[in-house]
Amino acid sequence: MLKSFLGRAVRVGVKPILRPNFSVAFQRRWVNGLTAMLPPPRGTKVHRQPMGALPAECLTFGEPAADLAILYLHGGGYNIGSARSYRVVTGRIARAAGVCVYTPDYRLAPEHPHPAALEDALSAYRWLRQQGVRHIALAGDSAGGGLVLATALALRDAGDQRPAALALMSPWTDLATRGETMKTHVKRDPSQSPDGLARWARGYANGLPLDHPLCSPLYADLRGLPPILVHVGSEEILLSDSLRLRERAFAAGVEIQVREFEGLWHDFQLHTGLLREADESLTELGQFLRERLDGCQVRNPA
């Protein structure tokens, strides 16, 4: 009953606003206002923690493990969203993982198109390394999930230390929107629409081909990426982005698991505290990241 109510609320209160009928500025205000009502779990500590010149937040729960960190890249189609608007998610991950979760306010399109967000994500990762954090995992949702993949690819190509693992929620991996569910799930998806995603994609790509591998990491060479865990809803138009990512990662020899949550929509984890599946997803993702971080400590203690 609650799942059905929340799905209808998203369809009525979110999906129409995310279409191109409304300006990006209005979408930012609307989404920030809605998510401001979603608090992190009780006991979460929120610290404003600049990562060099980049505004950011650090969320902790209890006594976090030393020398470990999770870098979270928020969603919002590269055009909207903020660290503040994702505290309900990052707080749950911090609790499940027992690790500090850092969320940078990376620059947003269309004012700051590609590669601004990627540059900021790389800067945040390298800042953590400069602070003495020895092992870092990456997590993100929607566009933030795509940005996680692009960041891991850029780190690999630059010869930086590999992240311990990648946790992705409903990742947007194909800005060219060629997935089958972009057609088959248009009416089923209560949250996203192809025209809304297309506008955000154009604003971010800044004239680059929409299948450029650092904008759409589905088309990249994925070899050498760390283990990946993906959670996605069965009703999403972006479902194909996760399923095709699994195929390409397998082909590249990358360890990947994709869990599909039946009857759920894009970024359903924002309903944590209300929706059992959202709580389950964030707990599983946080525990996955902590296990992989601990594994890095065992293999590379120094």
Side-chain angles (χ1 to χ4, degrees), residues 17 24 184 214 254 257 284 301:
I17 303 300
V24 169
T184 60
L214 288 180
V254 175
Q257 301 174 59
E284 184 178 323

Side-chain angles (χ1 to χ4, degrees), residues 92-153:
R92 288 272 177 172
I93 293 175
R95 183 170 75 172
V99 173
C100 296
V101 178
Y102 292 83
T103 309
D105 276 313
Y106 59 83
R107 289 170 290 170
L108 298 175
E111 300 93 332
H112 304 285
H114 177 84
L118 178 57
E119 291 172 346
D120 288 349
L122 290 169
S123 175
Y125 184 92
R126 289 165 178 159
W127 179 87
L128 285 170
R129 292 285 295 154
Q130 291 165 2
Q131 306 313 302
V133 178
R134 290 186 293 115
H135 302 297
I136 305 166
L138 303 183
D141 68 285
S142 192
L147 185 56
V148 162
L149 287 166
T151 301
L153 291 165

Side-chain angles (χ1 to χ4, degrees), residues 169-189:
M169 291 169 274
S170 304
W172 190 15
T173 65
D174 178 14
L175 270 63
T177 62
R178 295 172 181 154
E180 180 183 1
T181 53
M182 289 295 298
K183 299 183 180 71
T184 60
H185 284 42
V186 171
K187 292 184 179 179
R188 290 172 57 175
D189 190 328

Side-chain angles (χ1 to χ4, degrees), residues 172-183 193-202 210-211 215-216 218-219 237-238 240-241 244:
W172 190 15
T173 65
D174 178 14
L175 270 63
T177 62
R178 295 172 181 154
E180 180 183 1
T181 53
M182 289 295 298
K183 299 183 180 71
S193 59
D195 53 351
L197 291 176
R199 179 177 68 166
W200 285 346
R202 290 191 300 270
L210 293 179
D211 59 2
C215 293
S216 296
L218 180 69
Y219 302 104
I237 58 175
L238 290 178
S240 290
D241 284 39
R244 290 182 295 155

